[in-house]
Amino acid sequence: MKLRRIVAGALALALAGISPVIAQDNIKIGFITKFPVEFFSTMENAAKAYAETNPGVDIIYGQGASGTDIEGQIALIESMVTQGVQGIAITPVDPTVAPALQNAVDAGIKVVLMDNDIPDWTGKTALATTDNYNAGRIAGEYLKTVLKDGDTLGILEGVPGVPALDDRVTGMLKGLAGGPSIEIVGKNSTNCTQELGVSAAEDLLTANPDLKAIYAACGPPAVGASQAIANAGIANDAIVLVGFDACCGELDKIVSGQEDATVAQYPAKMGELGVDTLVRAIRGDEVQPLVDTGAGLVTTANVADFQ
């Protein structure tokens, strides 16, 4: 599965609104993402493209091992402080990394959060992200059009307690409001992994043989759910599967009919604008505290635009 078109389009959108930073003193920043999946690789590639077109911006990269690798991310933050960065752009794995980030801020380092917010932490300079609540509403509004009264829905959560992932669920439920009377028959956490997506979906299907829909708040669990559905011998048109992220094989699943829709974020735009906001803040420019990087629904009707 390739994201060349979405990556190119997102970078074009980002670059269209960004004039090159005027070279002044060299700037050294850290760029930390959660774990090795295509979404975060796309963000990192966008940061590298930014550095190539903005001489004087040097970026050190780091990535955690999983969606729950709190200690690994804290170690990366501390390492980058030791290496003398002036700013850190980070997709925080969990709010508990806030003390390590605050230590960096106390040392004079600017911090821009990407993708995930830490709502109660006031030390951040800005947040570059999808509005995950509104993006979740997109999924709920789609489900409202394909479900009917009495249908059952199972939810595959990401990492409970991570605000961005929780917002994807609450937003989806808001999008469903006012539509058919739907029964939520289960909410299972997945840590945003494909493996747990398989087992969590299997549990939902076993407990609810007539399950009509599954919503996954992350891409890998959506792909895992499609495997569980296939393993159970359920026909593609017998159950509605909606994911989030348009990553990790989801687009292929939409093409094959195993997944009905997903909510696409624009990771290249997120990485580009996250770095640009950080660089401008370091150089003393005024920056917006919230940079919305957008979202859109992907279905069979427009999946080709995202491949």
Side-chain angles (χ1 to χ4, degrees), residues 8-94:
L11 278 172
L13 283 171
L15 291 169
I18 300 174
S19 58
V21 175
I22 299 173
Q24 300 171 18
D25 294 334
N26 282 4
I27 284 180
K28 184 178 183 180
I29 65 174
F31 190 91
I32 302 174
T33 51
K34 285 184 182 179
F35 55 96
V37 295
E38 185 176 12
F39 184 89
F40 296 120
S41 296
T42 300
M43 288 183 66
E44 184 173 305
N45 288 338
K48 290 176 180 176
Y50 181 95
E52 289 176 1
T53 57
N54 287 274
V57 176
D58 298 321
I59 305 179
I60 302 170
Y61 300 93
Q63 188 173 79
S66 71
T68 56
D69 186 14
I70 297 168
E71 292 303 319
Q73 193 162 80
I74 289 173
L76 286 169
I77 294 166
E78 293 173 344
S79 173
M80 289 184 177
V81 172
T82 300
Q83 293 178 70
V85 299
Q86 296 156 275
I88 295 174
I90 182 172
T91 60
V93 71
D94 184 275

Side-chain angles (χ1 to χ4, degrees), residues 35-180:
F35 55 96
V37 295
E38 185 176 12
F39 184 89
F40 296 120
S41 296
T42 300
M43 288 183 66
E44 184 173 305
N45 288 338
K48 290 176 180 176
Y50 181 95
E52 289 176 1
T53 57
N54 287 274
V57 176
D58 298 321
I59 305 179
I60 302 170
Y61 300 93
Q63 188 173 79
S66 71
T68 56
D69 186 14
I70 297 168
E71 292 303 319
Q73 193 162 80
I74 289 173
L76 286 169
I77 294 166
E78 293 173 344
S79 173
M80 289 184 177
V81 172
T82 300
Q83 293 178 70
V85 299
Q86 296 156 275
I88 295 174
I90 182 172
T91 60
V93 71
D94 184 275
T96 55
V97 304
L101 291 173
Q102 186 60 51
N103 289 338
V105 171
D106 291 343
I109 296 168
K110 302 282 188 184
V111 173
V112 169
L113 305 182
M114 302 177 296
D115 191 27
N116 293 340
D117 192 13
I118 303 178
D120 296 329
W121 182 56
T122 60
K124 58 182 175 282
T125 294
L127 169 66
T129 187
T130 303
D131 185 327
N132 283 279
Y133 180 81
N134 283 336
R137 286 184 63 174
I138 292 172
E141 287 164 0
Y142 171 79
L143 284 165
K144 187 161 57 178
T145 69
V146 296
L147 298 178
K148 63 182 186 300
D149 286 339
D151 281 347
T152 51
L153 170 66
I155 298 172
L156 301 183
E157 299 176 304
V159 183
V162 174
L165 300 178
D166 290 345
D167 283 349
R168 297 178 185 183
V169 175
T170 56
M172 183 277 294
L173 295 173
K174 179 64 175 179
L176 269 177

